[in-house]
Amino acid sequence: MRELITKMRWIKVVNIIILFTLGSSGAFAQEKLSSTYNALIDGHSNDLLIFETNGSFTREKGSSLGIKQISVGKYTFTEDELLIVNYNNKPVLLGYYKDRQNRITQNDSTFIVISIRDQETLEYIPLTNVILAGRKSGKVADHLGKCLFELENSEKYLVFEISHPGYHNLYVSVKNNGQHFIDIYLANKLTKGLPFIEARDTLDFSNSKMYLTSRRSGITWKKVE
């Protein structure tokens, strides 16, 4: 009789363990985030992933001039703790820039050379307006799409608004130090732009979900406390 009771108790314990295991795996499969992650690219600009508990997320990009939503989508977890994000639409790159900083100096001025091209044809765009935000001053690019600035180091960052009829405006943020050679690529309003992320991506967690890293682009986001 005792052996029967002992055996029944063991069966009960095993059943509890099985139920707990199934419940845990089910909970993980349905795990949801309620967090915001910021890309580790530049502390002045933002590339945000904002996750909601309903399984949706928003990706936003911006700078000190404001945040712009670039895509929304759904996310899911896999059993090996990978996060799969599916964008509802594939965002396009409506202009971008490359800052080829030559050197940092201790002088009281910053020297900036700006070159402006069409992002698809790579042809220079002449007579482009380059306005220094906050100062309401600027220049017009020459016939080669170039202009020069020499400015005092009175602010930590400089923000330029690049505009030309028929093209999407672009804001450029530059550290106010040393020498900069900045290549600007504007998107023509008549074109569809260049896709800069795929519609589906896999993100790896690290450090107790403090960080997310894209397998496709290599970008790492840090959880915002």
Side-chain angles (χ1 to χ4, degrees):
M1 186 68 177
R2 289 181 179 179
E3 292 181 358
L4 179 60
I5 293 175
T6 302
K7 188 174 182 180
M8 292 178 65
R9 286 177 177 174
W10 273 111
I11 292 173
K12 185 176 181 180
V13 170
V14 170
N15 287 336
I16 291 174
I17 293 174
I18 292 173
L19 289 173
F20 177 79
T21 302
L22 291 174
S24 299
S25 62
F28 177 77
Q30 299 176 6
E31 185 177 356
K32 300 299 180 182
L33 285 175
S34 180
S35 305
T36 297
Y37 289 80
N38 194 11
L40 301 177
I41 300 175
D42 183 345
H44 186 60
S45 61
N46 294 299
D47 184 346
L48 302 175
L49 284 174
I50 304 170
F51 297 96
E52 306 291 346
T53 55
N54 62 2
S56 66
F57 75 93
T58 302
R59 186 172 178 183
E60 298 177 344
K61 289 179 72 71
S63 66
S64 59
L65 298 178
I67 302 295
K68 180 181 179 180
Q69 181 186 109
I70 63 171
S71 189
V72 296
K74 297 290 185 179
Y75 69 89
T76 56
F77 286 92
T78 64
E79 293 182 359
D80 46 358
E81 296 195 25
L82 297 178
L83 185 65
I84 307 298
V85 293
N86 290 280
Y87 293 93
N88 289 346
N89 59 307
K90 186 183 294 186
V92 294
L93 192 62
L94 297 178
Y96 64 99
Y97 67 94
K98 298 178 181 178
D99 183 357
R100 298 180 287 110
Q101 186 173 21
N102 186 32
R103 61 193 176 99
I104 298 175
T105 66
Q106 300 300 321
N107 298 334
D108 294 331
S109 60
T110 297
F111 183 72
I112 301 173
V113 179
I114 295 178
S115 301
I116 305 163
R117 298 172 181 256
D118 184 297
Q119 77 170 16
E120 295 190 35
T121 67
L122 300 183
E123 294 180 355
Y124 286 106
I125 306 174
L127 305 178
T128 302
N129 296 311
V130 182
I131 305 299
L132 188 57
R135 299 189 187 183
K136 296 182 179 180
S137 61
K139 294 185 177 183
V140 176
D142 62 18
H143 67 286
L144 294 177
K146 299 178 181 292
C147 61
L148 309 177
F149 287 87
E150 187 171 0
L151 304 165
E152 295 181 355
N153 290 341
S154 58
E155 305 168 43
K156 187 175 181 181
Y157 286 91
L158 299 169
V159 179
F160 294 91
E161 180 182 2
I162 317 297
S163 63
H164 190 285
Y167 286 85
H168 293 280
N169 290 7
L170 184 68
Y171 292 97
V172 177
S173 176
V174 183
K175 286 186 177 181
N176 195 1
N177 59 357
Q179 296 180 350
H180 298 263
F181 296 87
I182 303 175
D183 300 318
I184 308 290
Y185 299 88
L186 297 182
N188 194 308
K189 291 182 179 179
L190 298 179
T191 63
K192 296 181 179 180
L194 301 174
F196 77 101
I197 62 173
E198 296 297 328
R200 180 183 173 92
D201 197 2
T202 301
L203 307 179
D204 291 289
F205 282 113
S206 61
N207 196 12
S208 300
K209 294 189 175 143
M210 180 59 68
Y211 298 93
L212 285 171
T213 301
S214 166
R215 290 190 174 185
R216 187 175 296 277
S217 67
I219 295 176
T220 295
W221 289 266
K222 182 180 180 182
K223 187 175 182 180
V224 178
E225 297 293 338

